[in-house]
């Protein structure tokens, strides 16, 4: 008797149309826009000893994202390197581009992923414009960008797709074949074709703002993100997968680690199971050195893999995400029903951090806390204060949190979030005196009255003799709320000030520990447990929620020389060389700002 599990394919829903935009070499373009001479040279953006990113001219010469500066110079001696430590300009541009993209949404479903990626659910815009099509005059169609103002729109040729198309046949025939499906009145093909013109138009608008981008057009976030990666930079790709087997063959060719939502641990378990039939004990696994060549197809078609077996393999582990097996089974089939989340006007929290070679002196710690506070205040003013008609706080953080980590050396082989520990306190009300009171005065007071006392709780002065050896400081304004009653909405300074006073009386201090802290109580750990299968206490995993195991960079991105010392980010699952961790930490700390 055959005991093989029944392989029941999950149902895919194709009624939505989703665009995924990704700005090409984001930091590099942002810098080149500031200094146009940089547009024509191979350019790398430096953070500490690595390149946070590099432009495509540099990539063509073998330079890679997150490469060591020394290595990049060797590979490409003519590389121009620009300092990218000040993240403010990138954040500002990200906000501006997001606002631009948002303006094309009717539903408000515009979700950011990181600083330079945005999903738009344009189902409604596309449906409206499909209705407007006239089969006899397809080549002279008009795209309405507004339901109320017919003047807002553009002319387009609806007899052909804009940009590239992935279809079942070879790429050279894809566009024609897909267009033929349109003429054949395939409703899905028509929606995707119309959407491809909207994507093209929006990309043009982004270019007029100085940035080239890539875009994926499909029926889910998963498929849009994957297909958008097929033709980069400065291009777009629609996934004209009109039947289930088109979607399956599209998915099957991807390496498992490329699939957003399938993380390193899942990959490891499945790799072991598919190649040897064994179920590994993750405690013994070195994810750093893990190779992951397994493809989606190899897992999906494996005789012993089905939704229930995946649930057995992946679910039921301590801290594992609920329904993980079913979710992975769906992803393997290109099924992803997660919604594009509606835009938020204010971030959920804002944090700033930096890494150090080991701070041991009070004066050093004070100086760095001051600089971080200053950046935090500036960010709060940009993100939370509306300038006109007069400066008004739209939302305010009720809590300030300090996180530290000792300096570790690569040789110690610790995970990057080893020994992070935090202390929180109510955010003092005087921060609301900004912008009337200069930021440096407020930052000074914040350090003296709040942050240094928190620091001493984490690192008592008596321990200084042994060396504090601080490798990371993170200051986070969190617990953001929009009004004195806790509901969102515009708050006025008076009721915020009242709230702060009341809160200072009422709120007790609470402590969170890093993954080695052992006490693990409190909201932060609870929040992490829902996003992080390994239960590591880390803030901001929500920024990638639904895509919490997102991995768009595979190991090849780092070059084969670096594999020995790979580290996995517990927030997003990306692998990276140990030396790239600090830049990557900062990348996440920026995302948390929303
Ligand atoms: P990405 O979109 O991953 O990279 P990119 O825009 O530079 O390149 P691509 O054309 O392949 O999309 O990340 C956006 C920016 O975020 C990137 O310009 C630099 C920054 N970043 C870091 O600083 N550290 C990191 O670990 C990652 C992943 C990104
Ligand atoms: Mg990008």
């Amino acid at each position: 008797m055959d005991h093989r599990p029944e392989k029941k394919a999950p149902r895919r829903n194709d009624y939505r149309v989703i665009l995924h935009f990704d700005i090409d070499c984001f930091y590099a373009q942002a810098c080149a826009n500031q200094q146009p001479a940089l547009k024509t040279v191979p350019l790398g953006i430096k953070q500490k000893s690595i390149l946070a990113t590099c432009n495509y001219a540099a990539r063509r010469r073998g330079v890679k994202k997150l490469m060591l500066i020394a290595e990049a110079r060797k590979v490409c001696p003519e590389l121009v390197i620009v300092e990218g430590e000040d993240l403010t300009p990138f954040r500002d541009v990200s906000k501006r581009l997001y606002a631009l993209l948002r303006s094309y949404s009717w539903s408000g479903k515009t979700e950011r992923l990181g600083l330079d990626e945005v999903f738009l659910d344009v189902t409604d815009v596309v449906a409206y414009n499909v209705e407007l099509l006239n089969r006899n005059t397809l080549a002279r169609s008009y795209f309405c960008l507004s339901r109320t103002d017919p003047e807002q729109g553009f002319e387009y040729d609806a007899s052909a797709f804009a940009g590239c198309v992935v279809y079942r046949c070879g790429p050279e025939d894809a566009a024609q074949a897909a267009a033929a499906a349109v003429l054949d009145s395939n409703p899905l093909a028509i929606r995707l074709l119309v959407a491809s013109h909207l994507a093209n138009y929006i990309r043009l608008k982004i270019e007029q703002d100085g940035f080239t981008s890539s875009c994926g057009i499909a029926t889910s976030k998963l498929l849009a993100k994957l297909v958008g990666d097929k033709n980069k930079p400065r291009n777009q790709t629609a996934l004209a997968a009109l039947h289930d087997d088109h979607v399956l063959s599209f998915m099957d060719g991807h390496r498992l680690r490329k699939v957003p939502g399938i993380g390193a641990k899942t990959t490891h378990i499945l790799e072991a199971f598919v190649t040897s039939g064994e179920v590994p004990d993750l405690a013994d696994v070195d994810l750093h050195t893990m190779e992951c060549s397994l493809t989606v197809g190899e897992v999906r078609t494996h005789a012993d893999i089905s939704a229930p077996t995946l649930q057995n393999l992946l679910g039921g582990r301590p801290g594992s995400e609920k329904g993980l097996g079913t979710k992975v089974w769906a992803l393997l089939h290109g099924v992803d029903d997660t919604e594009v989340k509606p835009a938020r006007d204010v971030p959920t929290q804002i944090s700033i951090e930096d890494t150090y070679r080991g701070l041991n002196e009070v004066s050093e710690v004070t100086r760095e806390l001051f600089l971080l506070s200053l950046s935090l205040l500036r960010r709060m003013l940009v993100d939370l204060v509306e300038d006109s008609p007069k400066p008004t706080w739209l939302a305010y953080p009720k809590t300030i949190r300090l996180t530290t980590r000792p300096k570790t050396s690569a040789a110690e082989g610790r995970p990057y979030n080893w020994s992070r520990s935090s202390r929180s306190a109510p955010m003092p009300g005087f921060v609301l005196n900004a912008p009337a009171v200069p930021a440096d005065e407020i930052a000074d007071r914040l350090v003296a009255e709040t942050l240094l006392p928190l620091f001493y709780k984490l690192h008592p002065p008596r321990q200084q003799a042994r060396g504090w050896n601080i490798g990371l400081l993170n200051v986070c304004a969190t617990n953001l709320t929009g009004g004195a009653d806790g509901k969102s909405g515009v708050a006025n300074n008076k009721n915020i000030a009242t709230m702060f006073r009341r809160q200072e009386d009422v709120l007790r201090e609470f402590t969170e520990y890093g993954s080695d802290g052992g006490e693990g109580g409190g909201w932060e750990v609870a929040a992490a447990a829902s996003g992080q299968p390994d239960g590591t206490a880390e803030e901001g995993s929500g920024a990638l929620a639904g895509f919490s195991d997102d991995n768009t960079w595979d190991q090849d991105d780092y070059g084969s020389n670096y594999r020995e010392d790979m580290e996995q980010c517990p927030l997003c699952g990306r692998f990276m060389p140990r030396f790239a961790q600090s830049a990557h930490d900062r990348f996440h700390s920026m995302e948390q700002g929303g």
Side-chain angles (χ1 to χ4, degrees), residues 178-195:
V182 171
L183 294 173
D184 218 20
S185 296
N186 179 308
L188 175 56
I190 295 173
R191 286 203 298 277
L192 292 167
L193 180 142
V194 169

Side-chain angles (χ1 to χ4, degrees), residues 542-558:
L544 294 169
F547 276 68
S548 56
D549 271 338
D550 172 20
N551 175 48
T552 54
W553 288 15
D554 65 16
Q555 295 202 357
D556 288 340
D557 281 319
Y558 309 110

Side-chain angles (χ1 to χ4, degrees), residues 100 202-213 234:
L100 176 71
I202 297 176
R203 287 198 312 110
L204 210 69
K205 292 291 162 192
I206 303 175
E207 284 198 20
Q208 286 167 1
D209 202 347
F211 289 84
T212 67
S213 64
R234 202 183 178 198

Side-chain angles (χ1 to χ4, degrees), residues 77-340:
E78 66 276 31
L79 185 72
V80 176
I81 295 177
V82 169
E83 188 65 57
E85 287 287 334
D86 179 9
L87 307 175
T88 319
F90 307 133
R91 170 159 290 281
D92 291 348
V93 170
S94 165
K95 208 173 156 184
R96 194 179 77 222
L97 292 176
Y98 178 57
L100 176 71
L101 283 161
R102 247 176 96 169
S103 69
Y104 292 99
S105 164
W106 292 358
S107 61
K109 290 180 186 169
T110 46
E111 181 182 343
R112 293 170 87 177
L113 184 66
L115 274 186
D116 76 331
E117 294 178 42
V118 177
F119 291 102
L120 287 191
D121 183 329
V122 292
T123 311
D124 46 5
V125 189
V126 167
Y128 186 86
N129 281 281
V130 167
E131 284 294 308
L132 296 180
L133 287 178
N134 178 341
R135 278 191 71 90
N136 302 317
T137 56
L138 283 181
R140 283 175 287 112
S141 299
Y142 185 79
F143 199 111
C144 271
L145 289 168
S146 158
R147 265 184 286 228
T148 49
D149 178 3
E151 299 269 301
Q152 280 188 46
F154 57 91
E155 287 177 5
Y156 72 108
D157 176 1
S159 66
F161 272 78
C164 309
V165 182
V166 169
Y167 197 65
R168 194 168 38 174
C169 48
E172 59 291 349
D173 308 324
Q176 290 95 316
V182 171
L183 294 173
D184 218 20
S185 296
N186 179 308
L188 175 56
I190 295 173
R191 286 203 298 277
L192 292 167
L193 180 142
V194 169
S196 75
H197 288 276
L198 175 62
N200 199 44
Y201 180 83
I202 297 176
R203 287 198 312 110
L204 210 69
K205 292 291 162 192
I206 303 175
E207 284 198 20
Q208 286 167 1
D209 202 347
F211 289 84
T212 67
S213 64
S214 302
C215 182
I217 302 132
T219 56
S220 67
K221 283 162 60 176
L222 167 74
L223 296 174
K225 186 165 163 63
L226 285 177
V227 80
D229 225 28
K230 298 295 167 209
N231 295 287
K232 275 167 80 77
R234 202 183 178 198
N235 213 331
Q236 62 177 61
T237 314
L239 179 63
L242 307 181
H243 304 289
D244 284 350
D245 55 339
H246 296 187
V247 177
L248 292 181
S249 66
F250 173 73
M251 288 303 300
D252 279 356
H254 286 91
R255 294 210 306 192
L256 208 55
R257 285 297 284 122
K258 277 275 186 183
V259 179
I262 298 187
K265 285 184 181 164
T266 298
T267 306
H268 184 79
I269 295 167
L270 294 180
E271 174 122 22
F273 185 78
V274 167
T275 50
S276 65
E278 283 167 12
V279 183
D281 182 349
L282 280 184
D284 303 331
V285 168
D286 182 5
L287 290 168
H288 306 174
T289 51
M290 198 186 96
E291 290 291 331
C292 24
S293 55
L294 199 65
T295 65
V296 169
E298 285 169 314
V299 182
R300 185 184 66 79
T301 58
H302 189 277
D304 292 325
I305 297 255
S306 66
T309 51
L310 281 176
Q311 194 53 41
N312 282 341
L313 278 173
L314 306 172
R317 288 169 186 261
S320 74
E321 188 185 326
K322 198 164 160 261
L324 183 62
T326 319
K327 178 182 135 186
V328 169
W329 182 241
L331 293 174
L332 294 175
H333 290 77
V335 174
D336 167 32
D337 288 331
T338 56
E339 289 284 333
V340 177

Side-chain angles (χ1 to χ4, degrees), residues 280-478:
D281 182 349
L282 280 184
D284 303 331
V285 168
D286 182 5
L287 290 168
H288 306 174
T289 51
M290 198 186 96
E291 290 291 331
C292 24
S293 55
L294 199 65
T295 65
V296 169
E298 285 169 314
V299 182
R300 185 184 66 79
T301 58
H302 189 277
D304 292 325
I305 297 255
S306 66
T309 51
L310 281 176
Q311 194 53 41
N312 282 341
L313 278 173
L314 306 172
R317 288 169 186 261
S320 74
E321 188 185 326
K322 198 164 160 261
L324 183 62
T326 319
K327 178 182 135 186
V328 169
W329 182 241
L331 293 174
L332 294 175
H333 290 77
V335 174
D336 167 32
D337 288 331
T338 56
E339 289 284 333
V340 177
K341 294 195 197 78
R344 280 177 57 89
D345 283 322
V346 289
T348 49
Q349 60 179 20
I350 299 175
S351 84
I352 303 280
E353 71 180 31
D354 208 343
T355 48
Y356 311 97
R357 287 173 192 275
L359 305 177
N360 287 304
E361 300 299 325
V362 179
S363 58
E364 294 172 324
V365 170
T366 309
R367 185 187 64 229
E368 297 306 333
L369 285 176
F370 172 77
L371 292 174
L372 291 171
S373 302
L374 209 55
S375 305
L376 183 72
L377 278 166
R378 291 203 177 114
R379 282 264 315 277
M380 282 166 62
L381 290 174
V382 170
D383 290 349
L384 306 179
V385 174
E386 194 172 69
D387 291 330
S388 63
K390 64 179 173 55
T392 308
W393 287 80
L394 297 174
Y396 44 89
K398 289 197 285 189
T399 305
I400 184 161
R401 178 169 67 238
L402 175 69
T403 302
T404 69
R405 182 184 71 195
K407 172 81 187 145
T408 48
S409 80
E412 288 173 72
R414 309 270 196 195
Y416 98 109
N417 65 335
W418 174 76
S419 204
R420 272 191 183 228
S421 49
S422 310
R423 282 265 172 158
S424 303
M427 180 70 85
F430 60 76
V431 294
L432 288 173
N433 297 337
V437 172
D440 52 353
E441 272 180 42
I442 296 178
D444 246 344
R445 214 175 141 190
L446 200 59
V447 173
E449 296 180 22
T450 309
L451 290 172
L452 266 181
L454 288 177
F455 180 84
Y456 286 135
K457 283 183 178 148
L458 290 165
H459 304 279
R462 66 186 141 75
Q463 289 176 3
Q464 192 187 1
R466 274 190 275 139
W468 285 327
N469 194 27
I470 301 299
L472 172 139
L473 290 172
N474 173 306
V475 182
C476 177
T478 183

Side-chain angles (χ1 to χ4, degrees), residues 22-29 45 47 50-56 59 65-66 84 87 90 113-117 212 214 229 232-233 552-553 557-558 572 574 576 580-588 590-591:
D22 181 354
I23 306 295
D24 301 323
C25 54
F26 178 46
Y27 287 8
Q29 286 203 79
I45 306 304
Q47 282 181 353
I50 63 144
L51 293 179
T53 193
C54 54
N55 68 4
Y56 279 79
R59 289 183 205 186
K65 301 191 252 194
L66 300 188
L87 307 175
F90 307 133
L113 184 66
L115 274 186
D116 76 331
E117 294 178 42
T212 67
S214 302
D229 225 28
K232 275 167 80 77
T552 54
W553 288 15
D557 281 319
Y558 309 110
C572 67
R574 282 179 170 114
M576 70 198 68
Q581 284 161 22
S582 59
H584 189 73
D585 282 6
R586 299 179 76 204
F587 170 68
H588 277 303
M590 292 172 67
E591 281 178 340

